[in-house]
Amino acid sequence: MPQNQILAWALFGAALIFNPFLPIHLPRELWAVLNVGAAALFGFVAYRQRG
């Protein structure tokens, strides 16, 4: 699977988790981990886009 496709699926997963239409109720500790992971993912994508 090409790396761009993996990143696309990762961003799709982040969009599903953080969507405002169907709230997902998880423990606060898990949300903290997801927030850090999403920040790392978005930072990595931004870094790759700058080239």
Side-chain angles (χ1 to χ4, degrees):
M1 188 179 290
Q3 190 172 6
N4 286 340
Q5 192 173 9
I6 294 170
L7 281 176
W9 279 109
L11 291 170
F12 180 73
L16 284 177
I17 291 172
F18 293 107
N19 79 80
F21 304 110
L22 295 170
I24 299 174
H25 301 287
L26 298 171
R28 185 179 305 262
E29 296 81 13
L30 185 54
W31 276 118
V33 172
L34 291 174
N35 287 336
V36 171
L41 173 65
F42 297 149
F44 177 72
V45 171
Y47 175 77
R48 278 201 59 193
Q49 291 299 318
R50 291 188 87 194

